[in-house]
């Protein structure tokens, strides 16, 4: 009884370590392959298009919705103790420090991370990845690197757009509905912020981009077992990368805010 | 020294032993045909040679280099001289037929666009697929995909070609065409080939030697003439294509008389 418990726990721990090790090795190989020739510009452009440009509507809409609802809550909350003026300051703080990067990261892990896992997963089960190997092409170099680079460029870029949209979402509610002065809103939004905050937001977005691309590609690459496996790969990639986005967000905030 | 040297190769998936102690030597310029029942591990053998699977014990050496011990860069270098034709074609489905065949040419040679186009046309017309270069793999039939896979494997003019059932699913005429292309490649370029096939007619045409895999072991490896008269009961049953004999593990369903079946 006790022994089977230890057996099972031990097997779990070993399994988790195995997975972590496998991920680390593939991530390391991706970093190493970034600078290897030949540079595949056409593939990278395709990925920039698929990841960045096509994700724009999703990011704009979610950022708008979240920033507006947050402004409504702040206006209501601060009215309780006659401090309506603080709403715009806190709105700016929240959007730039947390909501912008995290919402973008989570949405993109659903939109592009899952697409990567599904695409590479299909390629794996239909032997296309083996075919790449046989044509003397490293799948990590050919498939991972363009997606990784595109995510590393596009997630920060989309985060900036998300912050910008967030500003106008707050404006819509606080100026348009609550009747604050537009001039005051424009000033107050940035009042609690320093340039450092934007830098932190971009660093977070960069890390989230790496997580999304690496986890998506890894889950796809390790797909096994036909249609069912291909079905599981995106789900598990979204769950894993969302989790790691939230965990790394906590640690990055802790580390970078001191 | 043999160009491809398979030494004591064993491979199991979990408890299921697929290959046990397989030994095969293929000399330069020779063409070996591997026969065997469905599911006896022919594909697994090729995947071990290609380095897509690692052997449990034993090894595969190509030009004296042990595949499982190479670094990835060295492995890719060796693979540039090997063409592999997959059983299910494994075409890149996001690319057109042309891009599929041109893939290795563009990545591994300094050919100009014109030269690449010419080579792709040449390869496609060899397998009777001229004029399909703008189609996507999803728009092709099974046999057409297989022929494109064949064209992709030979595009780089590799020294070694591994064919996994290149003719299964093709009509008899096209099967003969593929057989001739393989023979042409052998005589013109001196390529070394390993061909897996279930088609005995083309097997005897292509082969310098024929190997038969049976329950994970290589029970014969000899020239076609000697293979034909090998008294081993499994070989004779395989050549006759008869269900009765030692080949199957479980006895086959009893044979009915055709008249009985009609009444
Ligand atoms: N990745 C794998 N995992 C588990 N078992 C496998 C795997 N690949 C192959 N096998 C098993 O190995 C055995 C041999 O498979 P293989 O594909 O080599 O057969 P084959 O000789 O090519 O047959 P066919 O002529 O039908 O193509 C099969 O019984 C199969 O179940
Ligand atoms: Mg097979």
């Amino acid at each position: 009884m006790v022994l089977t418990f230890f057996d099972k726990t031990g097997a779990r721990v070993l399994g988790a370590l195995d997975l972590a090790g496998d991920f680390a090795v593939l991530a390391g190989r991706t970093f190493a392959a970034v600078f290897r020739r030949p540079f595949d510009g056409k593939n990278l452009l395709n990925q920039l298009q698929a990841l960045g440009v096509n994700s724009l509507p999703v990011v704009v809409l979610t950022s708008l919705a979240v920033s507006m609802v947050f402004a409504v809550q702040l206006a209501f909350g601060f009215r309780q103790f006659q401090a309506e003026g603080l709403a715009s300051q806190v709105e700016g703080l929240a959007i730039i420090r947390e909501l912008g990067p995290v919402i973008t990261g989570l949405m993109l892990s659903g939109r592009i991370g899952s697409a990567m896992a599904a695409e590479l997963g299909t390629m794996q089960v239909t032997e296309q990845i083996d075919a790449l190997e046989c044509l003397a092409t490293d799948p990590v170099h050919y498939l991972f690197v363009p997606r990784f680079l595109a995510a590393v460029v596009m997630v920060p870029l989309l985060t900036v757009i998300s912050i910008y949209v967030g500003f106008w979402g707050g404006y819509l509610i606080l100026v348009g509905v609550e009747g604050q002065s537009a001039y005051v809103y424009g000033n107050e939004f940035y009042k609690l912020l320093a340039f450092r905050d934007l830098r932190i937001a971009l660093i977070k977005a960069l890390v989230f981009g790496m997580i999304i691309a690496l986890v998506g590609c890894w889950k796809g690459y390790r797909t096994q077992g036909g249609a069912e496996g291909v079905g599981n790969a995106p789900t598990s990639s979204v769950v894993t990368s969302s989790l790691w986005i939230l965990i790394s967000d906590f640690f990055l905030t802790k580390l970078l805010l001191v | 020294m043999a160009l491809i040297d398979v030494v004591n190769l064993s491979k199991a998936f979990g408890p299921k032993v697929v290959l046990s102690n397989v030994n095969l030597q293929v000399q330069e310029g020779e063409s070996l045909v591997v026969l065997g029942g469905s599911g006896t591990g022919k594909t697994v053998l090729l995947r071990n040679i290609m380095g897509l699977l690692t052997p449990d014990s034993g090894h595969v050496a190509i030009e004296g280099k042990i595949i499982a011990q190479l670094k990835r860069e060295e492995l890719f270098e060796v693979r540039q001289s090997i063409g592999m034709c997959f059983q299910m074609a494994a075409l890149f489905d996001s690319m057109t037929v042309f891009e599929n065949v041109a893939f290795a040419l563009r990545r591994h040679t300094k050919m100009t666009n014109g030269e690449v186009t010419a080579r792709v046309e040449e390869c496609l017309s060899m397998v009777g697929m001229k004029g399909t270069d703008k189609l996507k793999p999803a728009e092709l039939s099974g046999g057409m995909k297989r022929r494109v896979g064949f064209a992709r494997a030979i595009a780089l003019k590799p020294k070694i070609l591994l064919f996994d059932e290149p003719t299964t699913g093709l009509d008899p005429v096209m099967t003969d065409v593929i057989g001739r292309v393989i023979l042409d490649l052998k005589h013109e370029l001196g390529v070394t080939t390993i061909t897996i096939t279930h088609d005995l007619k083309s097997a005897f045409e292509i082969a310098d030697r024929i190997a038969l895999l049976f329950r994970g072991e290589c029970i014969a490896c000899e020239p076609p003439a000697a293979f034909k008269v090998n008294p081993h009961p499994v070989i004779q049953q395989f050549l006759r294509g008869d269900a009765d004999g030692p080949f199957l593990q479980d006895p086959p369903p009893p044979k009915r008389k055709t008249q009985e079946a009609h009444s």
Side-chain angles (χ1 to χ4, degrees), chain A residues 224, chain B residues 12-14 16-19 36-47 53 87-88 164-165 196 198 213:
Chain A
Q224 284 176 336
Chain B
F13 293 101
K16 187 178 164 65
V17 178
V18 178
L19 297 175
S38 186
T40 46
K42 304 182 296 298
T43 303
V44 171
L45 175 68
L46 283 200
R47 292 172 75 86
L53 288 173
Q87 189 167 6
M88 300 297 171
D164 197 349
E165 305 194 12
I196 292 173
H198 290 303
L213 283 188

Side-chain angles (χ1 to χ4, degrees), chain A residues 197-235:
Chain A
D197 290 302
L198 185 63
R199 203 180 58 213
I200 294 179
L202 289 181
I203 292 176
K204 282 183 180 177
L206 188 80
V207 174
F208 297 167
M210 291 182 185
I211 292 176
I212 293 168
L214 290 175
V215 171
C217 289
W218 173 59
K219 288 286 179 188
Y221 188 68
R222 289 293 179 222
T223 300
Q224 284 176 336
E228 198 188 340
V230 176
N232 286 336
T235 317

